[in-house]
Amino acid sequence: MIMGTYSILGKPRHYAWGGMNFIPSLVGVKNTDSKPFAEWWLGAHPDDSSLVEVNGEQEPLLEWLKSNQQAQAQEERQGEFPLPFLMKILDVNQMLAIQVHPTKAQAEEGFERQDKLGIARTASERTYRDRNDKPEMMVALTPCWLAHGFMAAETIINRFSVYSSFGQLCDQLRLFGVQAAFELLMRMPQSEINMLLGEIIDTHQERYTRGHICQQQPEYWACRAVLMHRSGYDRGLVAMFMMNIVHVPVGKGIYQSAGIPHAYLAGQNIEIMSNSDNVVRIGPTKLHVDLDEVHRLIDYCEVAPKLLSPTEIEGEVNIRRYPHGGTKAFNLSQLMLNDENTEVEYQSSYLSMIFVAQERLSVSSEGDLKKYGQGETFIIPANTKVLLSSTNCVGYIASYGAKNANY
C-alpha cells in the first residue's frame, strides 16, 4: 500500500570537474576515496537510479516505480521512463564543456540512427543514449556563473577585435554572421586555435594572477581554465567569447532550452531536467565531440539571458515556483518555512520529490510523522496530503510540470 513519504538516497557522479567537499558535506556522505563529487543524482534514470527506502530496505527507485504505478498519475508515466524528471545537485569546481541538447524529435531520430549504425548505447562515441529531449533549469545554491547562448554579431566582433589574431573570425562575422564564424572556428586547425588562445593568455595572465580581471569577462574564464585547471588550448574556450557570461545569484534560476549552447563555469546549484542523458559537447573536454551533430542541433540566434525568480502560487507565501514556461517534464518550487510561517499543507496530483537544502523539516501524513535533515530527499506519492513544518527550512520541490489541482 502506498502512503506517507519515502526517503531517497541519491547517487554520486565522480566527474573530474567536480569539487571534493561540497556535496559530501551537504548530503552527509564520506569522501573516503578523495574522489571529486560533481553531481548527486536524484531520480529514476536507468543509468543510475536513486534508491528508495521502504520498510527499512532499499531498492532502486526505478524498479519501485514500475511496481507501484499508483504512486504517480497516469500522465507522468507516458514517457520512456517511469519518472519524467531528474534532479541533481552540482558542484562546478572547473568549467564544464559547452554543450547543447536535442529536441524530442531530434533525440528520437538520433537514437534510431545510432542504433541502426550499431553504436553501443554505452559507447563513448554514442551521442543519443535515450529518445528524450533534455530541457533543463538550474537554481543557484551559491553564486553561480555560466556561459549561455550567443550574443549579437556586433558584440562578438567588439570582443574579437581587441586581438590581432582574430581578424579572420571578425571578417567572417561581418560578412556572413554568427553561424559562419562559429563553423569556421570549429574547422580551424589546432595550430590556429593555439595562436588565438595564446594571445589571450599572454595578454591577461598577469592581470588574472593579480585578480584584476572581472568574472563578467570571458578572459577571466579562459585564463582560469588554462592557468589553474590546465585544460589546454581548446577551441571551446574561444567559442565562449561568442556567448553571454551570466551571473546567477543565490536563489535565482535560469532555463536552458533545446539548442541553446551553454556551460556552467563555477558554483553550486540544484538542477532539474527531463529524464535524459543526451549531451552534445563542444569543448573544452576530453570526451567525444561530434561536430556534425553540434551543427545539426545548435541555435545561432541571439539570446538575451533571463534570470528566473520564484513566484508565489495562488497567494501561498511558503511555496514559490520558478516559472520557466518551457516544458511539461518538470516544475521546481522553493519551500521556505520560518518563525512567521511555520507550516504549509501540500498535495499534488503528481509525484513530488523534496530536497531539504537547509536545516530540518517535519512531515506528517495520516498520523505518520517523519523528520528530514539538511541534504536529505524524500518523495510524496501522487494525491497524498502532507503537512510540512519547520521554524527554519529551505527546500526544493520537484514535480511533473503539467498544471494540477493544488501545486
Side-chain angles (χ1 to χ4, degrees):
M1 181 178 180
I2 302 298
M3 60 180 295
T5 62
Y6 297 85
S7 293
I8 297 295
L9 179 64
K11 290 294 190 71
R13 284 292 173 111
H14 301 292
Y15 305 133
W17 51 262
M20 294 288 189
N21 301 315
F22 180 82
I23 290 176
S25 177
L26 179 65
V27 304
V29 299
K30 293 183 178 180
N31 189 2
T32 55
D33 296 328
S34 297
K35 293 181 177 180
F37 272 67
E39 299 181 351
W40 184 252
W41 283 27
L42 297 163
H45 194 281
D47 285 353
D48 222 350
S49 174
S50 298
L51 301 175
V52 59
E53 185 174 305
V54 183
N55 298 324
E57 301 290 333
Q58 293 181 342
E59 62 178 295
L61 178 60
L62 175 63
E63 302 306 320
W64 185 81
L65 288 173
K66 289 178 179 178
S67 303
N68 296 274
Q69 294 192 15
Q70 66 270 37
Q72 296 177 271
Q74 179 63 40
E75 191 175 357
E76 281 181 289
R77 304 194 300 265
Q78 290 180 352
E80 182 178 359
F81 304 142
L83 192 65
F85 61 85
L86 174 64
M87 185 160 61
K88 300 178 181 179
I89 310 299
L90 271 62
D91 181 7
V92 182
N93 184 53
Q94 300 180 29
M95 174 185 173
L96 275 66
I98 299 171
Q99 55 190 251
V100 291
H101 303 308
T103 64
K104 178 68 171 173
Q106 289 168 337
E108 289 176 344
E109 184 278 328
F111 184 88
E112 298 298 333
R113 170 164 39 89
Q114 294 190 331
D115 260 6
K116 289 179 180 178
L117 291 172
I119 304 173
R121 296 182 188 181
T122 57
S124 60
E125 67 271 22
R126 177 92 185 201
T127 300
Y128 297 98
R129 301 183 186 278
D130 54 66
R131 297 179 178 86
N132 283 358
D133 56 346
K134 194 187 176 187
E136 60 187 30
M137 180 176 67
M138 70 86 112
V139 171
L141 296 174
T142 64
C144 289
W145 291 87
L146 76 156
H148 174 88
F150 288 114
M151 300 183 302
E154 198 58 42
T155 307
I156 301 171
I157 290 170
N158 290 338
R159 273 189 181 168
F160 282 175
S161 61
V162 173
Y163 305 102
S164 59
S165 57
F166 279 73
Q168 186 182 9
L169 283 171
C170 284
D171 291 343
Q172 196 79 346
L173 273 162
R174 290 190 182 96
L175 293 172
F176 304 110
V178 172
Q179 179 174 347
F182 180 82
E183 291 179 350
L184 172 62
L185 173 62
M186 293 297 106
R187 294 194 306 268
M188 278 185 173
Q190 186 61 45
S191 59
E192 294 185 32
I193 298 299
N194 292 345
M195 182 174 62
L196 297 175
L197 281 166
E199 183 178 1
I200 291 169
I201 302 302
D202 289 345
T203 302
H204 296 283
Q205 180 171 353
E206 184 175 353
R207 293 182 63 230
Y208 172 80
T209 303
R210 292 176 177 270
H212 293 167
I213 304 181
C214 173
Q215 289 171 285
Q216 198 71 47
Q217 298 177 259
E219 286 86 353
Y220 173 91
W221 301 104
C223 287
R224 188 174 188 261
V226 172
L227 300 175
M228 180 181 291
H229 299 301
R230 309 298 178 187
S231 67
Y233 283 6
D234 190 291
R235 68 192 66 237
L237 296 175
V238 182
M240 182 177 59
F241 279 68
M242 304 178 73
M243 300 171 64
N244 300 286
I245 305 298
V246 184
H247 173 233
V248 185
V250 174
K252 298 281 189 177
I254 193 166
Y255 181 77
Q256 328 268 12
S257 58
I260 299 297
H262 61 279
Y264 294 142
L265 303 177
Q268 290 86 24
N269 65 67
I270 187 165
E271 186 180 44
I272 187 167
M273 62 195 66
S274 62
N275 203 347
S276 173
D277 199 25
N278 288 328
V279 179
V280 182
R281 296 175 179 86
I282 298 168
T285 181
K286 295 180 180 179
L287 300 175
H288 178 66
V289 175
D290 185 341
L291 288 180
D292 288 338
E293 210 61 42
V294 168
H295 296 318
R296 286 192 190 100
L297 302 187
I298 199 164
D299 186 341
Y300 294 99
C301 293
E302 177 186 352
V303 172
K306 179 182 178 183
L307 296 186
L308 303 175
S309 298
T311 59
E312 291 185 8
I313 305 169
E314 298 176 358
E316 174 55 67
V317 297
N318 301 94
I319 300 176
R320 301 180 298 168
R321 178 174 293 162
Y322 290 90
H324 60 76
T327 178
K328 286 186 175 182
F330 58 77
N331 274 327
L332 187 69
S333 301
Q334 185 185 68
L335 168 70
M336 297 192 72
L337 296 169
N338 51 43
D339 288 330
E340 296 181 0
N341 298 285
T342 61
E343 60 183 35
V344 61
E345 282 192 345
Y346 178 87
Q347 182 177 2
S348 172
S349 304
Y350 305 101
L351 180 145
S352 300
M353 181 181 294
I354 299 185
F355 172 76
V356 181
Q358 294 179 25
E359 300 299 333
R360 298 184 64 81
L361 180 65
S362 295
V363 184
S364 58
S365 175
E366 298 182 358
D368 178 48
L369 175 64
K370 294 181 180 177
K371 295 184 178 182
Y372 298 95
Q374 177 178 292
E376 294 186 313
T377 306
F378 61 95
I379 58 171
I380 305 172
N383 302 309
T384 299
K385 182 182 290 187
V386 297
L387 180 68
L388 307 173
S389 60
S390 177
T391 58
N392 186 18
C393 178
V394 178
Y396 291 91
I397 306 173
S399 187
Y400 185 61
K403 182 175 176 57
N404 55 63
N406 301 95
Y407 293 101

